[in-house]
Amino acid sequence: MSQKQLKEAFISNLNGTSLLEISAGLSLPPLCLLCRGLLLILYYLHHGKPLSSRKYSLLLDFLVLVSPLLFSCTVLSPVIFFIPVILAACCAGIFSEIYRQSKREARAPFGQIVEEFQKACLDPECIPAITVFRVYVNVLTSISILAVDFPQYPRRYAKAETYGTGVMDLGVGAFIFGNALVCPEVRQQAHRAQPRFSSLARQVFSVWPLIFLGVGRLLSVKSIEYHEHTSEYGVHWNFFFTLALVRLAASLLLAIFPKHKAWLVALALAVLYQLLLSTTSLKMFILHGSDGRDSRLGFLDANREGLLSLLGYLAIYLASVQVGLWLLRRRSSVRGWLAALRALALALVVLWVLLQLCQACTEPVSRRMANLSFCTWVLAHCLLLLGFFVLTDLSLVFTKLLVKGSSVPCCWEVVQPPGSRKKHGTEAVPVGRQDKLSQLCLISAINKNQLLFFLLANVMTGAVNVLIDTIHSKAAFTLCTLHLYMFLNCLIMHILHARNIVLKFW
């Protein structure tokens, strides 16, 4: 077999992993974020000022926010269930040290802090969990697209061939989910007087970079005979095309139907598509082609997975728009977000029950078809990760109340302490401090140029695969390569952010 055929076989005929293992893995990013925040608060407690060195801030962010994920999906994957326990223990140890030192300095009693925490007012215009969710989906995707070509990346984490729940299968759906959370229809919900088709016109203009990147990927892959998994999207199709068309189709549907009924449109679309898969020959066509022998003759036949799975991805996008609209409801207090967490937990229970019913009554999860089970699974796990991030932010808010004056980038700030309305009026967040801290945050840096970050990851992945025999790499070499690859990408984002450069002109 040629090197190209070896690499294609290396990522083919896989069946995914268990839902429990994926759920355990999803707890790692929030725990890393919590650990980073607690370390910054502890630093402030010791030095009386926030960490101000850009160099050390980047190093801390990379080592705490990114490096544990690289280890957990490679050499530490056999003990993946123990990693969240270890991280949680580290967080508990740091928090106990913060509480011990703050108590020694004669701070308020713990019960009073709890009461103050529940009454605390947060910035209703800022929801850090959305930003962190989108950035981490990008980071995890960037890690996986290169790591999957190394033997240290478990085959069960890679994309499943037909049925199964791989980590990378979830990544595709999470990318759709994250884009929908900040789509124009969600961000412009307050502007009721805007024309119904204004968002559609904006999307038509904004998706052209995705079309351009899709064409560029197609031409580059074919020209250098780069290895590709044909049953993933087809011969000519790729995820850039899927994302562009889903955004356009969703904007058209949301211009026709009320935005607050997006979940109904998503449900109808997903159920109708599943009925077509179950009652017609559509499923056999997707899996085996028009002649039943996996033919790839003609554009539709050659790209059947990418074209027909658009219906499932569109359902995910529309349901995620509903989630985005719900998140942006005005909640200005910790109590409001604790109630939102309870609502999220209830939605998770409903989705998990629906997932079990879908798999029992229809068919297992299939990213290749984007069936009803896949849509339900993606929404359930994305809401789980989003809920974890909200819980992390609230935990950091509570810890910051122990250490007055401390701050954590990409985390809520208390904008109106209890009793300030009567005594001093509304107290705003110190703008200068926030701007300075945001300059030192890797999450803010990646968020500012997310498409560029993803594009660079794809280019670097291709370069590594052309230059290195990844399949036969040793563990030490793999870890060094992955760390260097991610650090270079993060460093570029950090430099661009420090110079306030945003490479977006559409």
Side-chain angles (χ1 to χ4, degrees), residues 197-209:
F197 288 90
S198 63
S199 294
L200 178 61
R202 178 171 295 187
Q203 287 284 34
V204 169
F205 179 70
S206 65
V207 300
W208 74 262

Side-chain angles (χ1 to χ4, degrees), residues 33-242:
L33 189 70
L34 179 61
C35 186
R36 190 278 301 252
L38 292 174
L39 285 172
L40 289 175
I41 295 173
L42 185 61
Y43 180 91
Y44 180 88
L45 188 60
H46 282 166
H47 296 84
K49 61 179 182 179
L51 182 63
S52 57
S53 169
R54 290 181 178 177
K55 178 175 64 175
Y56 291 124
S57 175
L58 174 61
L59 188 61
L60 173 68
D61 281 358
F62 184 80
L63 291 178
V64 179
L65 299 180
V66 179
S67 190
L69 304 180
L70 282 168
F71 280 100
S72 65
C73 69
T74 51
V75 294
L76 294 183
S77 57
V79 292
I80 187 67
F81 290 102
F82 294 100
I83 301 176
V85 177
I86 295 171
L87 284 174
C90 291
C91 291
I94 299 171
F95 176 81
S96 64
E97 178 65 17
I98 292 172
Y99 179 69
R100 185 183 63 81
Q101 293 195 26
S102 63
K103 186 178 180 181
R104 189 177 60 191
E105 295 177 10
R107 299 297 181 184
F110 188 80
Q112 182 181 334
I113 294 173
V114 172
E115 185 178 352
E116 182 182 350
F117 168 69
Q118 293 177 342
K119 295 179 180 179
C121 293
L122 307 173
D123 184 3
E125 305 299 327
C126 172
I127 306 176
I130 295 178
T131 299
V132 175
F133 177 92
R134 299 182 71 242
V135 167
Y136 256 115
V137 167
N138 232 323
V139 169
L140 291 168
T141 302
S142 299
I143 292 172
S144 295
I145 59 176
L146 178 57
V148 71
D149 294 315
F150 290 89
Q152 288 73 26
Y153 189 86
R155 297 301 90 195
R156 65 185 185 277
Y157 288 0
K159 289 178 181 176
E161 184 71 25
T162 301
Y163 294 106
T165 52
V167 174
M168 295 185 71
D169 294 315
L170 178 62
V172 176
F175 221 99
I176 296 288
F177 183 93
N179 270 266
L181 290 180
V182 295
C183 70
E185 290 81 8
V186 172
R187 286 184 279 110
Q188 297 171 3
Q189 66 168 340
H191 305 289
R192 307 289 184 184
Q194 286 197 347
R196 296 182 68 182
F197 288 90
S198 63
S199 294
L200 178 61
R202 178 171 295 187
Q203 287 284 34
V204 169
F205 179 70
S206 65
V207 300
W208 74 262
L210 295 173
I211 301 294
F212 177 78
L213 291 174
V215 172
R217 175 178 172 79
L218 172 64
L219 295 177
S220 60
V221 166
K222 300 300 180 184
S223 61
I224 65 174
E225 294 188 353
Y226 190 76
H227 66 278
E228 53 184 332
H229 195 185
T230 304
S231 65
E232 185 177 349
Y233 296 107
V235 178
H236 312 101
W237 204 261
N238 57 58
F239 184 67
F240 291 113
F241 294 141
T242 293

Side-chain angles (χ1 to χ4, degrees), residues 281-302:
S281 59
L282 184 62
K283 183 195 300 185
M284 295 303 295
F285 172 68
I286 295 175
L287 298 181
H288 305 293
S290 56
D291 62 354
R293 300 178 180 176
D294 199 26
S295 65
R296 295 285 175 178
L297 300 175
F299 183 77
L300 177 60
D301 217 354

Side-chain angles (χ1 to χ4, degrees), residues 185 189 192 196 250 253-269 314-315 317-323 325-326 329:
E185 290 81 8
Q189 66 168 340
R192 307 289 184 184
R196 296 182 68 182
L253 289 174
L254 292 172
I256 299 172
F257 299 100
K259 287 188 293 186
H260 63 278
K261 299 293 184 182
W263 72 275
L264 282 175
V265 182
L267 180 62
L269 189 64
L314 181 56
Y317 190 97
L318 290 170
S320 307
V321 167
Q322 190 74 62
V323 175
L325 292 171
W326 176 77
R329 290 180 184 176

